[in-house]
Amino acid sequence: MLVVACIKQVPDTTQVQIDPVTNTLIREGIPFIMNPYDTHALEEALRLKDRYGCRVAVLSMGPPNAEMTLRKALSVGVDRVILLSDRCFGGADTLATSNVLAAAIHKLAQEEEVPLVICGKQTIDGDTAQVGPGIATRLGYTQLTLVDKIVDLDLVAGKIRVSRKLEGRHEIVESPLPSLLTVVREMNRPRYPTVPIRLAAEVAPVELWNNEVLQLDLQSVGLKGSPTWVKKIFSPERDKGEIIGDGIGDPAGTVNLLVEKLLGKDLLEL
Amino acid sequence: MSVNPVLFGSLLAAAFLFFLWNCWQRLALVTLGGGADRFDRPGERFKRMLLFAFGQKRVLARPFGVNHAVIFWAFLILLLANGSFLVEGLFPTFTLERILPAGVYHGLTLLFDLASLLALAAVVVAVARRLFFKPSYLDSAYVKGRSVEGFMILSFIATLMVAFFCLNGVRIALGDGGGAMPVSALFAALLSGNSPAALEGIGIIAWWVHALVLLAFICYLPLSKHMHILTAIPNCFFQDLNPVSLPPREEFIPGKPGKSYGVGRVDDFSWKDLLDGFTCTECGRCQDACPANATGKPLNPRQIVHSIKSNLLANGNLLKAGRPPLVPLVGEEGEGTTTEDAIWSCTTCGACLVQCPVLIEQMPKIIKLRRHRVEMLAAFPEELLSLFENMEQRSNPWGIAPGERTKWTGTLEVKPFQAGVTEYLFYVGCAGAFDSRAKHVTVALATLLDAAGVSWGILGRDELCCGDSVRRLGNEYVFDRMARANVARFKEQGVKKIVTLCPHCFSTLKNDYRQYGLELEVLHHSQLLEQLVAQGRLKPAVQNGQGKLLFHDSCYLGRHNDTYDAPRAVITAATGSAPGEFGRSRENGFCCGAGGGRMWMEEQLGSRINLDRVKEALEQEPDTLCVSCPYCMTMLEDGLKDQGAEQVRVMDIAEIMAEAMVPR
């Protein structure tokens, strides 16, 4: 039994700036990290491994240097990492990306049963939250998004019950397996790698699957398979803030000022 | 007087066999430990052994140490007397008098007599101390100041001395003793009313009391903390010769994970660590000096060492048989087990290290224990997770983008370091580059360097964290990567001289990186500023303005690098007068609470270390607290805020000097 976690290597967005002329990310010198939401997906897969003894495979579609991020997955103890990389996969939008990932999972599922696929809820660079659901659709798995807890998992009966974190409430959903989960940060606390596993991971193999392996129609991958493309990236303009009152000298007066302002903008109801 | 040599001989042989067997048992346990290279520079080691063991240098650092020194030196002198006593017991015809020239013999007997008197007096004082004015640090969880063991050994010594006087008193009274023994002569006068036969009887009793107590002492020695009599001298010989007691470097080979990293069970310690266990005399000085212990935290450095010994004794036979230990080294509170809370309470301030009279290395043991928790078990306080990740990903504790490392420069014109052109690399450090308060110090130092015409430059966004915190926290794997990256960068940039504003960067670059083959001239800014003042390159314009100023010693500048005078000289130059001192200063300086990675952890156990320090300062009603470390700056400022004493300014020496440069 194999649990698959999908991860993406993303630029460390706290260090990213946008080129004002070309409206593209300035990528030079920006370190790459594992998409933070995906670290929780990976951790959940490892917890299933700890609990049920299943194996864990990690997939990532990206350029060859994404191998570095896959090694980080190896260093926390996954069994198999596969980099899906081919020139023809480049320039993919969320649809084309989910085509490649779904094909890879499908291939894995031919060797070994894959009851669960786990993804982060979204990436911090694209922020679309579409790839996970896209994979689920293409694989015919039930999609359970925004999961913050697996309430119950019955691998024998093929059932899963999860808690979904929605705005202001939680929703408990039960679904048959196989399923695809997208997870939020509250799901778990990712483990810290131990040194022996790290040292082993430094030299462990990262499998490379290109389109010769996946045999996808060129019209369904990469730029050609992408019905959407980025027209422009820009930082939204923001109103200038102001400091009101004297919070230290006159806290009560400042609160009144604030309430008046909020009332004036219809942001507060009396 | 005559005794039965056969009876005595068999008792002596039995006692010696018992003694040797127990010594062997314990020292064989020491060999279960791992390697430690402590045989280099034997000449230097011998010298230090003479100084610390025979010279009792550290023992004498506290007033009561005089008492121990008296017992120690008397013991050495009386070894000869007791040796002769044992030989006399075996060969009744033998006496020292017969084999030594009269003058030498008389001198020796006088010496023996006086040494015995001094030892007896010292023992009386020691008993009185334990009974009537016992310092609290004599007690720990498992060893008490008023222990049976302590009183037993003291009474053994006292009995030996009294029996010695009686025996020689009888000899003098019988006209048998030829030496010059004024104290024994007093005993002779007391005994002179007895008949010769009665004297003979008293003499035999005194002889056997002396003999039996001596044999009991020999038997008891290896089973008690008094084993230190045997182990302290070699322990001083095998001391860490480095200026700072550094934890050893660990080797990480990709693809070849070692069996274990750090210390998870007692035989993961080095043989020197285990020898330390048998050397500890439970004097409690480290306990008394430890800031964690002083603020009610569960760490007691003495107990760390005691636990190692207890654990080794409890598990020794299993380990020798190649079986897993039963008593855990780290876990729930118990003799032989150290708790997680104790391990994580250490600020690595080194107060224990400079206190120990027999050069036991407490703090590095704690780091080894931390290493195992972090490297093998990934078990550490939760708040450290983000620190470790920030360090690995962005090479600074806060996880701020490396591009912001140069933000402090503002409108200053700061040049990048250039090999062959720039003299000093100003290694700004993470606090100096990112911490909003410390950035003022960075700017002050930059201005001073410019004013003095120093050639300096920075690495800017290419500067990496030195890794101090991760190393002290036991994350040696990450430290190893950071150290290798820094060493490579310094070499490739052609750096020869470095000035830092943080004592943690200073000590790490200067001392820890030696383990990576990097030997540069590294100066803390206090040292460079002191030089610049002495050379007349920095001339203060005004010498006032700080009011009553107290200087707080940074542990990593002071104890770890023995630099106490440089910052004081800078303050004196800047203010015109020597700084005021805390009650606890220099070697006895009290940590701010932020070392050893504690800067990045919550302080939930006991009271807060920085408050203890700030309260100590406020007793003197100062206007300014002067520091030489960004961590101390944060901790003291926080402490002052907590005490509602924000009118007291906390200033770095560089800021004080920079203020003095500006004419008013």
Side-chain angles (χ1 to χ4, degrees), chain A residues 2 55-64 66-68 70-71 74 78-86 89 104 107-108 111-112 201 203-210 213-214:
Chain A
L2 185 70
R55 284 159 30 87
V56 173
V58 171
L59 297 182
S60 183
M61 188 184 97
E67 182 192 321
M68 193 192 74
L70 281 168
R71 275 201 195 285
L74 277 172
V78 306
D79 300 288
R80 188 171 178 187
V81 293
I82 304 164
L83 174 62
L84 312 171
S85 189
D86 196 308
F89 298 163
K107 188 172 164 59
L108 285 171
E111 298 167 22
E112 201 171 349
V203 296
V206 172
E207 290 173 60
L208 177 73
W209 286 5
N210 54 21
V213 179
L214 292 179

Side-chain angles (χ1 to χ4, degrees), chain A residues 12 15 192 195 198-199 202, chain B residues 255 261 375 392 394 475 477:
Chain A
D12 185 349
Q15 303 188 36
Y192 193 71
V195 169
R198 275 195 195 211
L199 290 174
E202 282 189 43
Chain B
Y261 296 89
E375 298 185 319
E392 254 185 289
R394 295 178 196 149
N475 199 335
Y477 177 81

